[in-house]
Amino acid sequence: MNILAYLIPISLILGGIGLAGFVYTLKSRQYEDPDGDAERILSGRWDNHPKP
Amino acid sequence: MAGQISACPACIAAPSAEDIAARAAQQDHNIALSVPGIHCAACIATVERALERTPGVKSARVNLTLKRATIDAEANVQTDQLIDVLAKTGYEAHELDSSQLAATQTDKAGRDLLMRLAVAGFAMMNVMLLSIAVWSGADGATRDMFHWISAFITLPVIAFSAQPFFRNAFTALRAGRLNMDVPISLAILLAVGTSLYETWASGHHAYFDAAVSLTFFLLAGRYLDYRTRAIARSAAEELAALEVPRAIRLGKDGSEEVVPVAQLAVGDIIRIKPGGRLPIDGQLITGTSELDLSLLTGETLPVPVEPGAQLNAGAVNLTGVLDLRATAVGRDTSLHRLAQLVAVAESGRAQYNSLADQAAALYAPGVHILSALAFAFWWIWSQDLRMAINIAAAVLIITCPCALGLAVPAVTTAASGRLFKKGMLIKNATALERLARVDTVVFDKTGTLTTGQLQLDNKSDFAPEALAIARALANGSAHPLAQAIWRQTQADDLPQVTLVDAREIPGHGIEGQLSNGCRVALGRADWLGGVPQARTATWLKIGGAPAQPFTFIDSPRDGAAAAVAALHAANIQVHLLSGDAEAPVADLAKMLGITQWRAGVLPEEKSAHIQHLRDAGAHVLMVGDGLNDTVALAAADVSISPASALDAARVASDIVLLGADLRPIADAVLLARKATKRIRENFQIATVYNVIAVPIAIVGLATPLMAALAMSASSITVSLNALRLGRVKAGEPQ
């Protein structure tokens, strides 16, 4: 059962990374236009280089 | 440039001040445009590309969710210019007052709720993992360790995520009331408290997972609820922002100055150009013109005005330039006084008791009594305080209002989302439920069932030469009748006519001379000696011949007939009440198949009519746009106004129709009925779960595993049931 000493912290850290990622997307306002983002992937406009 | 033509050499020598001024003027500014027509990836690309290609535009970004374009541009870029650019690519755009939009751009409350939801979700997953280990047989020290780890995750998360519930419950208790948040907070606190004690005493059952998932599911319901209201609010703000309130004030020397309407004072001289709406009540000093009062009275016929006349805010100036002396501004205008009448009518509207309120009124005291009884029974029976508290907590947790908390928001979110796609905006939370009960619809005519745009009716009565003369006269006039003639003859193949010395005589019409010297005129009956008609008309006079009338009808909106037919099919009575004259109302009623109509109705009569219907037991939906409808809108059970309606009418109504098409009205009634059915079903599902689980909890057989299963299963069934509503069937237009 000693494996738990590794597994539990690992699961918490992985979950924490996910949470931190979500907090980042929220703070950088990536949920302002969900419909638009869903459609934008269909447009090839900024395929070769990101929008400046 | 300015420096070079300056007469003062010092100015050229010291250009820094000028540079600074120029730089300030060059500063970028943000322009917000509402573009209701965008709906796909291609639209986004077209709009952004068209805007970015415009000189002076630095960047443009479309927000499809809000159907809005934000443009970052240099100071010399005019909003009108951008609207023209979009119009050329085929997209209708309107300017938005950015100061009105400020509130939606920083959506702090929404992001705050989302953050709490995410934290609760993170904790729920981890605690659930540990709990599954316990349920599948972890024992002794391992179980205790898992419980302790769960406790360390749960405590800070509850302290952060459950705050909205604690705060609401505290406010309610301090005011001596009981709301849904009181049992929720009690359940969460009891679950955490007893579990901590059990963990410390090496007990078997800990409800940390239940406390966290309770928080998570309830926050999800809160967030859905918030989103629905936020979307409605931002769209409502957008409608308000569409009217950029400015007026032209004349200085003592006759100079024109554009000022916000809020800055106008009694006694100011205001200039109203053709096409402008009067922002104030005032006395006409100079100028003659015709006024369109259709938003005030419902009358389509323009009314001529002459100096000395007392004019009311809300009228639209049609032909000449008018100078008014303000007699009432802001809150004192007749427009605002009417808004107060609406407030009175609204307070008279019976307070509607929503389904959610009814459920909460039953639920909140019910669970408290139940869990208190369970506690008292077990304490007296077994004299074991710890067991009695555990059972009371289990009862509270199992009866958790997860499903109840999700039952209404999940359905209203799905329904309002779908209605929004169809172009309807639900402003009021209980509007859907009220809409579901509607059995009578009362329509206004001008601007609601009709576009308010006049169509030439008797073109075939005129010879091509006469039409050509009328077209030449009408060309360039801002008067709606002249514009209608121009619009409808523009594409026709008519003989060429050259007019000499054509001029518009404000308040009367347009006159000119043909190249052969014959005098021609287009205008009012009394000016040209025509015989007044019952319908809207303008007269054409060629030389000495008697004037001939062009008659007009107000064309019905898209989908008006379809909407009326669909309402009839849904067994709903349709009435038509209009302030307009009898002939046009009768025509329209016949065209749309409405049998119950009244013409020449005063605003008070409209609301009296609705009151009369309601007294007879009918549930009335009022659809109207004008100032004359506002009292009726507020008096009806539920009300809809088109986006083109006056501000006051939109404020008084529960639902705003964003598009020009009327068809969604019938769809909305049907969808509302379906949504209300779903809400009731959801309450039944939640009740069934409780009927099964509560006896088990009361007899003391509940385990954390059972609580978790009941909670998740009921929440998921309720959400899935709600989602059935949002699904658009194949082949159905979106």
Side-chain angles (χ1 to χ4, degrees), chain B residues 410-411 414 418 671 674 677-678 681-682 685 717-729:
Chain B
V411 174
R418 197 157 151 200
L671 188 71
K674 237 199 262 172
K677 208 175 125 218
R678 290 274 178 281
E681 278 169 14
N682 277 350
I685 293 173
T717 7
V718 161
S719 312
L720 286 180
N721 188 41
L723 280 181
R724 286 202 293 153
L725 192 70
R727 207 179 51 199
V728 180
K729 287 186 202 92

Side-chain angles (χ1 to χ4, degrees), chain B residues 112-121 123-124 153-171 179-192 208-220 222:
Chain B
D112 181 62
L113 262 180
L114 203 54
M115 184 76 86
R116 291 181 204 277
L117 182 66
V119 171
M124 183 176 78
I153 301 173
T154 308
L155 285 177
V157 166
I158 292 293
F160 173 67
S161 290
Q163 264 178 34
F165 306 115
F166 296 154
R167 221 176 291 135
N168 279 347
F170 183 67
T171 334
N179 62 6
M180 280 291 245
D181 287 326
V182 177
I184 291 170
S185 303
L186 200 61
I188 294 174
L189 288 176
L190 258 179
V192 173
F208 291 118
D209 62 295
V212 187
S213 42
L214 187 58
T215 314
F216 175 77
F217 284 126
L218 290 169
L219 275 174
R222 284 292 146 92

Side-chain angles (χ1 to χ4, degrees), chain B residues 94 130 154 284 312 330 341 356 389 419 431 450 466-467 481 540 618 623 636 643-644:
Chain B
H94 309 281
L130 296 166
T154 308
L284 187 53
N312 285 337
L341 249 171
I389 290 182
L419 284 178
T450 65
L467 279 179
L481 298 184
L540 176 68
V623 189
S644 56

